Each structure stands twice: as structure tokens, then as C-alpha cells.
Amino acid sequence: MDPFDTGSGGILRQPKSVWATAGASVVAFMGIGLVDPILPSIAQGLDATAGQVSLLFTSYFLITALAMLVTGFVSSRIGGRKTLLLGLALVVVFAALSGTSGSVGELAGFRAGWGLGNALFVSTALAVIVGAAAGGSAAAILLYESALGLGMACGPLLGALLGDASWRYPFFGTAFLMAVGFLCISVFLKEQPKPARKTSPLDPLRALGHGGLASAAVSAFFYNYTFFTVLAFTPFVLDMSPYRSGAVFFAWGVLLAVFSVIVAPRLQKRFGSLRVLGGSLVLLAADVLVLGYGDHTTAVVCTVASGAFIGVNNTVYTELALGVSDAPRPVASAGYNFVRWFAAAAAPYFAPKIEEWTDVHVPFVVAAVTAVLGALVVVVRRRALALPQAPDSARPGGTLMAEELRPHHAAEDGDTVFAN
């Protein structure tokens, strides 16, 4: 089946509830890169240093990491719809409060609340889309991945367009869009069935006892340090206006989306997931190293190009997180995300510190090293990371979709897939 088929069950023929959830997902993922083009403006407006402004990412992702232990606990008790609405409500409140901040400390605190809301929403959105979509998991996963890519691409663009007038406007704009998403889900999405078994906050930690899942989480931890060095530190190095910086990261996001949804599954089918992941991590390491030592034009080109490698990595890591262990998918992905999002919190904090201690090049050297370390984990632990093979007939759209179509990976309410 072609998931883009406009017939019944195709990606374009979905219930209103699916489109409402997917649309809100786009805005949720926009919130990750929203502040990228306006980081220098925020620093100037709040009289803060690059290191202080980086706390906007650190607080956001630190809370996101910790929330991964409780999102399944919450959604398995109150249901997917209520979890989505709770997450959206928190984002609306804290995004709006972010726009009123009078200091970088206040803004970092509000971003932490935003991170909690986003974790609750995004961790449940995939399960809701799969459960409500027509045409099976293939179309649903493609729609979710498309929403993620579109959000990552449009976040910097929205930040640039609104942030050119004031760094506060992107936060108010996000609050408004998420409020619209809240209303749409309230109207169009019916409550999803609750899982038979309630999730404990300790279950994700127990799942990490599986060697394959732990290896995927450790490798992703190193990768995410590289990823968020690019996302959070590069805007200060480029030192461009919000419009120009937004254009750079919009192009970055477009490559991320294309390579995540279209290119990665084809590469996996031809070369295998682990070879693709290891090669992509090494190429990402080379890219950020050139970014750190090149001139301004080279830095722009390498920033955009990194989106391609990040898109490939995101897709393969998602597959590993969902399919490498026998743990229920919500539990496995929660444990995986609990580990890897700590790197997303660490990189924005340490990159400016490393620059202060050394020079502007060294943070990118560190980022290149962490990408190589991620690749080494894949090589050394390749047997533990090997996924069970599905029949070719079960691979309509790449290995990620094949994993989703397996019966023991059926969508479960409370799914904690923030793997991208």
C-alpha cells in the first residue's frame, strides 16, 4: 500500500481527530527550535550571556528527561486524550508566561514548565495518531514523522518572523497556536481506550536492564550531545539577524524532514540500519568539525547539511528504541528517552562554558568526539542492537514502519515516543 494514496486509508484520507493531533504535534515540535533565531536577541534583551541563555534549552530538556518516567504513569491512568489536553494546557500557560519574563532566570523556569507540557503531549501523540488513523500504522507513522519534520523546520522560521519585532512575540505566538490545538483536540478527538496494565515510574528504569536498549540509549546520549550543540550553540557562532538565522535553520529543518521520512528508510533497506547509523554518525562528526573551523559561509553550509545526518539518525534511533527489546513499547521508549534527553540538557550548558574555558572551536571538537563515541557504541554493541527481522512483505515504507506493523509493537495508549 502506498501511504500517500488518496484512497481510503491513505495518509491524506484521515479522520479529523488525526489531523487535529498531527497539527498540534507540528506546533509542539516547533517549540524545540523556536528560540534558535532569537537566542542572541534574548541575550541582548535580558542583558544575559550566551551561557545564561543556553539555560532555556537545559531547563526545557532536563524536565523533559525526568518527565519520561511519569508520562506513561499519567496516560495509563487518565487516558491519551486527557494527557494530550493536559500537556497542551501546560504549554499554553508556560509559553505565554515565557513572553512576559523579566529575567533569564524567569524565562528558564517557564521553559521548564513548557518542557513538562511538551513531554506529556508529544509522548502520547504517536499512540493517539496510530490508534485513530485509517490505513494502519504505516500511514500513521509517516504522518507523525512528517509532522515532526515540519515542526522542526517551521519552528525557527516562526521564531525569526515574530522575533524580528521582539523576542517575546514567538512565545506568545506559540501559546496562541497551542491553544488552537487544544480546542481542535477537545472537539475532534474522542477518548482512547486505556491500557490493561498501568505503568509504574520504575518500569522504564527496569527496561534499561536489557543490553540492546541500554546500548541504544547510551549511543543516542552521545549523539544528542552533538545534535544539541548544533541546535543551541551554533546560533551564537553564526551571529546573524533573526531572519537570516531563521532561514538557515529552516533549510536545516527541511533537510531533517526529507532525510528522516524519505531517505533514511531507503538507506536502511539497502545497507541495514546499523551500518547506516554508524556511517551517518561519523559523517555528522566530520560535518560539525568543519563547521567549527570553517569560515562563516562554511559554517552556514555545514549547519544546514547537518540536518540530513540528524534526520537519518533520528529515524534509525527511533526504530532501535521501539524494536530492540521485548519490553512494552511505552516502557522501552520511556527508558531510552530518559537517558538520551539528559544530553540535550547538557550540551546547551556545556558548549558555551567550553568556549569560555578554551575558544570557539573546541565545543565543536567535543561534539565531533561525542558523535564518534555514539558510532563506536553501535559498532561494539552491534549484536545486542540487531533488530529481529520482519518479512519483506511487512516493509511497506521502511524499517521503522515494519517495526510498527509487528503485532507485539501495536500502538499502546501512553506511548512515550519522543524519539525524534
Side-chain angles (χ1 to χ4, degrees):
M1 182 195 76
D2 180 3
F4 284 106
D5 180 36
T6 55
S8 61
I11 188 173
L12 301 179
R13 302 280 294 184
Q14 298 295 336
K16 292 179 180 178
S17 59
V18 172
W19 286 117
T21 307
S25 298
V26 171
V27 182
F29 286 116
M30 286 170 62
I32 296 177
L34 177 80
V35 299
D36 259 35
I38 57 173
L39 286 175
S41 299
I42 293 173
Q44 183 178 1
L46 295 178
D47 193 24
T49 66
Q52 290 173 324
V53 172
S54 71
L55 293 175
L56 304 186
F57 283 99
T58 298
S59 61
Y60 182 92
F61 286 112
L62 182 61
I63 296 301
T64 296
L66 294 173
M68 288 301 154
L69 298 180
V70 300
T71 50
F73 174 86
V74 172
S75 61
S76 65
R77 285 162 173 77
I78 68 174
R81 180 176 181 273
K82 291 178 180 177
T83 304
L84 290 179
L85 293 176
L86 174 60
L88 286 170
L90 288 172
V91 172
V92 170
V93 170
F94 285 104
L97 287 174
S98 295
T100 67
S101 300
S103 68
V104 71
E106 283 186 13
L107 184 52
F110 293 143
R111 281 280 288 180
W114 186 342
L116 174 61
N118 217 46
L120 288 169
F121 174 81
V122 178
S123 66
T124 312
L126 176 58
V128 170
I129 290 175
V130 170
S137 294
I141 296 302
L142 184 58
L143 182 61
Y144 179 84
E145 291 285 342
S146 300
L148 184 150
L150 184 61
M152 293 293 283
C154 292
L157 194 61
L158 178 66
L161 293 175
L162 297 179
D164 190 61
S166 170
W167 64 264
R168 300 180 186 274
Y169 291 168
F171 297 112
F172 295 136
T174 300
F176 173 78
L177 291 174
M178 287 303 250
V180 172
F182 183 97
L183 292 175
C184 290
I185 288 178
S186 298
V187 172
F188 296 118
L189 180 65
K190 297 180 180 179
E191 184 56 83
Q192 305 293 298
K194 296 180 182 179
R197 178 180 176 274
K198 291 182 173 62
T199 301
S200 164
L202 295 179
D203 286 346
L205 298 178
R206 296 190 184 104
L208 290 170
H210 185 279
L213 183 62
S215 299
V218 171
S219 178
F221 175 89
F222 289 124
Y223 157 65
N224 267 271
Y225 187 95
T226 309
F227 178 0
F228 284 93
T229 297
V230 173
L231 192 64
F233 183 65
T234 302
F236 291 104
V237 176
L238 297 180
D239 193 23
M240 304 167 76
S241 68
Y243 274 129
R244 291 180 179 272
S245 183
V248 169
F249 279 95
F250 173 72
W252 169 88
V254 169
L255 276 187
L256 186 154
V258 170
F259 274 75
S260 177
V261 176
I262 299 174
V263 178
R266 288 165 170 76
L267 291 175
Q268 288 175 276
K269 185 175 181 180
R270 181 170 181 179
F271 300 106
S273 295
L274 297 185
R275 289 182 180 178
V276 169
L277 180 58
S280 181
L281 286 168
V282 171
L283 291 174
L284 177 61
D287 181 81
V288 297
L289 199 59
V290 175
L291 191 163
Y293 281 94
D295 58 21
H296 191 269
T297 300
T298 301
V300 169
V301 171
C302 288
T303 299
V304 173
S306 70
F309 307 123
I310 289 170
V312 170
N313 295 338
N314 285 349
T315 293
V316 182
Y317 275 120
T318 299
E319 176 183 332
L320 293 177
L322 299 183
V324 75
S325 77
D326 294 329
R329 190 173 61 187
V331 174
S333 57
Y336 161 82
N337 282 296
F338 171 74
V339 173
R340 78 186 190 99
W341 283 119
F342 277 110
Y349 175 79
F350 283 111
K353 292 292 185 183
I354 293 171
E355 181 194 14
E356 291 176 12
W357 299 331
T358 55
D359 59 50
V360 73
H361 307 298
V362 177
F364 294 101
V365 174
V366 174
V369 170
T370 56
V372 171
L373 288 174
L376 286 176
V377 172
V378 171
V379 172
V380 173
R381 299 288 295 167
R382 59 188 179 278
R383 291 186 179 180
L385 289 168
L387 288 168
Q389 293 298 311
D392 290 340
S393 59
R395 296 180 178 270
T399 49
L400 172 60
M401 295 171 195
E403 293 300 325
E404 291 293 338
L405 290 170
R406 293 182 190 175
H408 70 283
H409 286 309
E412 300 178 52
D413 198 12
D415 199 353
T416 315
V417 179
F418 195 5
N420 287 318

